[in-house]
Amino acid sequence: MAREQIAPTKSNLLKVKERLSIAQEGYDLLEQKREILVSELMRKVELVKLLERELDKRVDTAYPCLKRMLIVVGRERANKLAQNISYKFELREKQVVTAGMKLPGLEIRLPNIDLKYSPVNSFAECDETVLEFFELLKICIELAAVRTVAWRLARDVRRTQRRVNALEKMVIPSASETKTYIESVLEERERDSFFTSKLLKKRKEYQNR
């Protein structure tokens, strides 16, 4: 790593030492942050896998239920019943606190389950299908929310890792090399000054004899 092109002076040495100290402290803090983020990300990934398994199970029950309902009620009649059903869903962004950070998340509020078709035209299969798909929708919403947080965590992990790499491979080595260079130049100057002073002292003593 190339050192900084600055004059080897004591004042510059103090500045480089200060920069190096700040960089090393920043590296330690960022490394801790990265470890926390990775740990939290792994937990979210495991939760995503769990929810995906639950989603698969719910799909395996919801769609056969829908198929049975269509067989019993008939597709045309089911379409007419569905036209009279309307639900409102509230979708909004919310702050999610994870790994000590506030991340933008997603929240969807489901309406209460209300079987809105006429009891005269009601079938047990219709009720069962509505309930099954409401449960399926709940899992989809939870999965989407967790995936959103996981994606943002992964983005922060990559961003933090880039900063850690920059400090570890560029900033700290460059500052360390610059510090070593300035110290060696100053030490050499001190030796030269010491020998010059000693030589002048001997010459003066010789002249005073």
Side-chain angles (χ1 to χ4, degrees):
M1 177 59 61
R3 61 177 173 82
E4 300 173 35
Q5 299 301 315
I6 59 176
T9 63
K10 290 184 177 181
S11 61
N12 281 339
L13 178 60
L14 292 175
K15 293 177 182 177
V16 170
K17 284 183 175 180
E18 184 178 1
R19 274 203 309 274
L20 180 59
S21 176
I22 293 173
Q24 289 172 335
E25 183 179 352
Y27 172 83
D28 292 338
L29 292 173
L30 283 173
E31 184 63 20
Q32 291 176 14
K33 178 182 177 181
R34 187 192 67 83
E35 291 176 359
I36 293 172
L37 287 173
V38 169
S39 177
E40 188 63 28
L41 176 59
M42 291 301 101
R43 281 195 287 269
K44 295 299 181 185
V45 169
E46 289 302 316
L47 182 55
V48 166
K49 291 179 181 178
L50 178 62
L51 289 171
E52 286 176 342
R53 288 195 292 269
E54 291 183 13
L55 180 62
D56 290 340
K57 291 178 182 178
R58 184 58 63 178
V59 167
D60 289 341
T61 59
Y63 280 92
C65 183
L66 174 62
K67 186 176 180 180
R68 287 195 302 273
M69 187 270 288
L70 292 175
I71 293 173
V72 173
V73 178
R75 188 176 297 274
E76 183 177 350
R77 194 170 190 179
N79 286 335
K80 289 181 179 179
L81 290 172
Q83 289 174 1
N84 297 323
I85 300 176
S86 177
Y87 290 102
K88 292 184 178 180
F89 301 89
E90 294 183 19
L91 173 64
R92 68 183 183 91
E93 186 177 353
K94 70 171 184 177
Q95 294 293 323
V96 178
V97 179
T98 181
M101 300 185 305
K102 289 184 178 180
L103 299 175
L106 184 67
E107 182 181 51
I108 302 178
R109 292 184 180 179
L110 291 173
N112 295 326
I113 300 176
D114 185 10
L115 305 179
K116 299 183 179 182
Y117 41 82
S118 171
V120 178
N121 296 322
S122 178
F123 293 87
E125 288 78 10
C126 292
D127 297 348
E128 185 181 359
T129 301
V130 171
L131 294 173
E132 282 286 345
F133 274 86
F134 255 83
E135 292 302 318
L136 178 60
L137 185 57
K138 286 180 182 178
I139 297 175
C140 288
I141 291 169
E142 187 176 358
L143 180 57
V146 175
R147 277 180 171 171
T148 299
V149 174
W151 181 82
R152 296 186 186 280
L153 281 171
R155 184 186 62 182
D156 284 342
V157 167
R158 290 193 296 270
R159 182 185 301 160
T160 304
Q161 186 63 59
R162 285 196 296 268
R163 295 172 67 186
V164 168
N165 290 342
L167 287 171
E168 181 182 15
K169 299 178 181 180
M170 296 177 61
V171 177
I172 292 177
S174 177
S176 296
E177 188 171 337
T178 303
K179 171 177 168 291
T180 301
Y181 165 74
I182 294 178
E183 286 176 338
S184 65
V185 171
L186 292 178
E187 287 174 2
E188 185 176 355
R189 287 177 181 173
E190 286 182 3
R191 286 195 297 270
D192 290 343
S193 177
F194 174 76
F195 286 124
T196 301
S197 175
K198 194 172 183 179
L199 182 61
L200 289 174
K201 184 178 180 181
K202 285 185 176 180
R203 181 178 297 178
K204 188 175 182 181
E205 289 176 351
Y206 178 79
Q207 290 175 349
N208 291 334
R209 287 180 181 178

